[in-house]
Amino acid sequence: MKNVSILALETTCDETSIAITKGKKIISNLVYSQIKFHEKYKGVVPEIASRAHSEKIYELIKKEKKHIKNVNAIAFSRGPGLKGSLLIGRVAAETLSKFLEIPLMGINHLEGHLSACELIGKNIEKIFKFPLIALIVSGGHSELWLVKNYGIYKKLGSTRDDAAGEAFDKVAKLLGLPYPGGPMVEIMAKKAKKDSSIFTVPDVKNSLDFSFSGLKTQVAYYIRDKKKLTYKDKIEICASFQKACVNSLLKKTIIAADKYKPRQIAICGGVSANGFLRRAFADAFSKKRIDLLYPQKEYCTDNAAMVAVCAYRKLEQNKLENNIEIDSNLEI
Ligand code: KG4
Ligand code: ZN
């Protein structure tokens, strides 16, 4: 693997990204965020996303011109994600692979999020100790996995309705905060002077599944019933919502950890950037002798470096991942 170079593309949602590895190093990771196209709608508009990917991806590939001739494999996220956006990534990746006459690998985007935990600085390192529990919390997914080894997964739970990131974004929208809502809710919540619990923690009984749409509805009704919403009210709503959401993620992760006794818990995906979440998990797990892993902040949200790391691990195990069909609902 020392001289292997992988080019990876990521286009599942609203980030267009390309990364290149050389041996264990990420030598480039360019991420183009489409926020400016979606912010006025306070959410990702699928058609706008595909158009923006198709306009940007060739520009990003061109920027990597000098590395491309040395690449040995092309990898791309084949799902889950937005169909039109996935298709742009697939067409670009397949064109490169055919033109360069090198293998094309279809990678699961969520497996990519998990792989991001093994990026230290720009280096791919062996960090995972199995069994581990993965909590994937992004704009589109909230899932708990038991990971027995690289590529060996059992899904323990997932969301019955909205994803955690989606709930953050919707609450931000209800409060008139800018898109993407997650980081804004966190910033507002930090300003809270007191610990308040306006909202109850959502709980799907006897299951490791999550549910966040009820919590979002509680927020919507609370806002509706308030005559006038002050800045202080908004702060209290953000802090209270964030606490309920994180407590729900934490509760199920604790149950899973008590049952499966993992050596590590890896928390990844956009919401894993949240500082309140990281502190709550640190408090809960410090006594249990289970290591907590997170991606570095720049690798929490969508990027192609994580896809490249995942492809690197597959190649290491001689898995070519030659299923290149896009699948917007791809499962592990
Ligand atoms: O992983 P990601 O980039 O995209 C998906 O695969 O969905 O995650 C994006 C999500 C958005 O919902 C965004 O609001 C949320 O991650 N997010 C956060 C934070 N940073 C990003 N949520 C809470 N706190 C944050 N600091
Ligand atoms: Zn993602």
Side-chain angles (χ1 to χ4, degrees), residues 122-293:
K122 292 184 188 317
N123 293 316
I124 303 172
E125 305 279 3
K126 276 248 154 77
I127 305 289
F128 291 159
K129 293 186 192 127
F130 304 103
L132 72 80
I133 281 182
L135 173 67
I136 296 141
V137 270
S138 69
H141 297 84
S142 303
E143 302 199 347
L144 266 174
W145 299 353
L146 175 64
V147 186
K148 293 186 182 151
N149 208 327
Y150 289 107
I152 304 179
Y153 308 107
K154 182 179 168 199
K155 197 190 276 188
L156 303 176
S158 58
T159 181
R160 299 257 173 113
D161 37 60
D162 292 352
E166 192 179 354
F168 269 89
D169 294 339
K170 285 179 175 168
V171 165
K173 192 173 175 177
L174 288 168
L175 293 171
L177 300 173
Y179 172 85
M184 283 312 297
V185 170
E186 181 179 8
I187 291 168
M188 291 287 281
K190 246 186 221 153
K191 298 180 185 173
K193 297 245 163 33
K194 60 173 190 247
D195 179 38
S196 52
S197 304
I198 312 172
F199 311 115
T200 50
V201 180
D203 191 8
V204 181
K205 297 267 180 278
N206 304 318
S207 158
L208 290 173
D209 283 349
F210 303 105
S211 167
F212 295 108
S213 77
L215 176 59
K216 177 197 66 193
T217 310
Q218 285 182 59
V219 177
Y221 285 165
Y222 186 83
I223 293 172
R224 187 198 61 187
D225 295 345
K226 277 242 157 201
K227 296 264 163 351
K228 201 169 162 276
L229 216 55
T230 64
Y231 187 66
K232 229 172 111 195
D233 291 333
K234 290 189 181 186
I235 289 172
E236 198 184 1
I237 291 169
C238 286
S240 203
F241 159 79
Q242 178 175 259
K243 191 168 116 184
C245 184
V246 167
N247 279 346
S248 155
L249 295 168
L250 183 58
K251 186 173 174 185
K252 298 293 176 183
T253 310
I254 291 174
I255 296 172
D258 288 344
K259 182 163 180 194
Y260 295 100
K261 312 264 180 279
R263 296 171 75 191
Q264 297 174 324
I265 295 173
I267 306 156
C268 54
V271 183
S272 71
N274 187 286
F276 178 82
L277 177 148
R278 292 187 179 205
R279 283 189 299 282
F281 273 71
D283 287 348
F285 286 102
S286 59
K287 285 184 221 90
K288 289 186 188 276
R289 305 178 106 211
I290 303 173
D291 289 345
L292 292 176
L293 306 176

Side-chain angles (χ1 to χ4, degrees), residues 3-8 18-23 25-30 60-74 96 99-100 102:
N3 295 314
V4 171
S5 174
I6 303 165
L7 182 153
I18 181 169
I20 299 196
T21 62
K22 171 86 179 127
K25 241 189 162 57
I26 302 289
I27 58 172
S28 172
N29 180 42
L30 306 176
L60 293 182
I61 292 171
K62 234 159 107 183
K63 286 195 177 153
E64 299 296 357
K65 214 155 81 184
K66 66 175 190 297
H67 296 304
I68 284 180
K69 60 181 185 307
N70 301 318
V71 164
N72 311 103
I74 307 289
L96 281 169
F99 176 70
L100 297 166
I102 54 175

